Amino acid sequence: MKALAHRTSSIMPKWQSIYSTYYDQFYMTIPCDAYDASEKPDALFDEKNVEKCVALFNYATVGIVITDKGGVIINVNKYAEIQFGYTKVEVVGKTVEVLLPQSIHSKHEALRNSFNKHPQNRIMGAGRDLYARRKNGTEFPVEVSLSHYSLNNEEYVIALVVDITIRKKNESLLVQRQSELQRITGERQNRNKGLEQKVQEQTIRQKKQMP
C-alpha cells in the first residue's frame, strides 16, 4: 500500500477521496466517499477499504465509464461491459466515442471539449434523447450523469450510464394506448353525431307526415 500512497500524494477533499490500485491488470482510479486523506492518510489505503471500493465499482448496477481529459477510456466496470458488449481490454485506451453512434462522434467531441473547459456534475443531454452503441452496432437509449475529479493535477470524468430501453418501450406503449383511446373516442363521437343527425331527420319526416 505504500506504493499506492506515493502515487496518490495530493490532498483530496473529504467524501471524494481517490483510491488508486492495480486491479485486473489495469491501474485505475476509483472515486470513493470514505475518508479525508489529509486527516487519515493511512486509512485511505486500508486494504479492506480499497476492496470495498473496488466492489462498489465493479458490482454497481449502472455502467461506469472513467475517462481522462482527452476522452480516453481508462476504466469501465463490469456492468458497462455487459451494457456495451465489450470487454475492458477492448475499450481501455480508446476514446469514449467508441461507445457512441458514429453519426454523433464529431458533435460529441465538441461537447466533451466544452465540458472540460467548464466541468460540473450534471445530467448529460437534458431534454434530448441520448443513445449509446454496443459492440455489435446496435444502439440503445441511455441516461448519462457526468461528474469529474482531479488526481495528481490530471482531470478525469466519470460517466454513469443507465440503459432506459424498457422505460422508453413503456413510454411508447403508453403513447400508443393514448392514441388508440383518442381514436376510439373520436369514432364514438362521430357515430353519436351520425345517430343524432338520423334521429333529427326521422323526427322531421314524421312531423311532415302528420296531418
Side-chain angles (χ1 to χ4, degrees):
M1 291 299 177
K2 291 182 179 180
L4 296 180
H6 175 72
R7 296 193 69 174
T8 315
S9 58
S10 59
I11 301 300
M12 304 169 202
K14 184 175 287 187
W15 307 114
Q16 289 185 349
S17 301
I18 306 299
Y19 287 85
S20 300
T21 183
Y22 195 78
Y23 181 79
D24 207 11
Q25 298 184 350
F26 285 103
Y27 177 80
M28 65 187 186
T29 53
I30 306 174
C32 286
D33 54 345
Y35 297 98
D36 184 339
S38 63
E39 296 176 359
K40 299 180 179 180
D42 293 332
L44 179 62
F45 300 105
D46 176 78
E47 184 174 356
K48 290 184 179 180
N49 214 23
V50 172
E51 290 177 353
K52 185 185 298 184
C53 189
V54 171
L56 287 171
F57 180 80
N58 276 310
Y59 299 105
T61 54
V62 297
I64 303 177
V65 180
I66 301 179
T67 70
D68 63 14
K69 188 175 182 179
V72 176
I73 298 171
I74 62 173
N75 198 15
V76 297
N77 71 340
K78 292 182 179 180
Y79 201 85
E81 290 182 299
I82 295 172
Q83 283 180 318
F84 292 97
Y86 286 102
T87 63
K88 187 183 297 186
V89 176
E90 291 176 303
V91 295
V92 167
K94 295 182 179 180
T95 60
V96 70
E97 281 75 31
V98 71
L99 305 178
L100 304 177
Q102 180 70 37
S103 60
I104 66 170
H105 281 194
S106 296
K107 183 178 181 179
H108 185 267
E109 289 176 5
L111 292 173
R112 174 159 51 78
N113 292 333
S114 176
F115 177 85
N116 288 330
K117 291 180 181 178
H118 305 285
Q120 57 180 323
N121 299 345
R122 62 179 177 83
I123 302 296
M124 182 178 176
R128 294 184 287 113
D129 289 333
L130 302 180
Y131 289 86
R133 183 178 184 275
R134 300 186 182 92
K135 180 181 179 179
N136 63 11
T138 58
E139 298 179 6
F140 60 103
V142 294
E143 280 187 352
V144 181
S145 297
L146 298 177
S147 60
H148 65 98
Y149 66 94
S150 299
L151 175 63
N152 294 336
N153 297 319
E154 294 291 337
E155 298 294 326
Y156 297 91
V157 178
I158 305 172
L160 303 182
V161 184
V162 179
D163 184 343
I164 59 172
T165 299
I166 294 178
R167 185 202 305 174
K168 284 294 185 181
K169 287 183 178 179
N170 289 338
E171 289 176 354
S172 177
L173 181 60
L174 179 60
V175 170
Q176 290 177 7
R177 288 178 176 175
Q178 290 176 335
S179 178
E180 180 66 12
L181 180 59
Q182 290 176 350
R183 183 187 66 79
I184 293 174
T185 300
E187 290 178 351
R188 286 179 178 175
Q189 290 175 341
N190 291 335
R191 284 199 298 269
N192 290 338
K193 288 180 180 179
L195 289 174
E196 289 176 358
Q197 185 175 356
K198 288 181 180 180
V199 170
Q200 289 176 354
E201 292 174 352
Q202 182 66 22
T203 301
I204 293 173
R205 286 196 296 269
Q206 289 177 349
K207 287 182 177 181
K208 288 181 178 180
Q209 294 174 355
M210 292 177 65

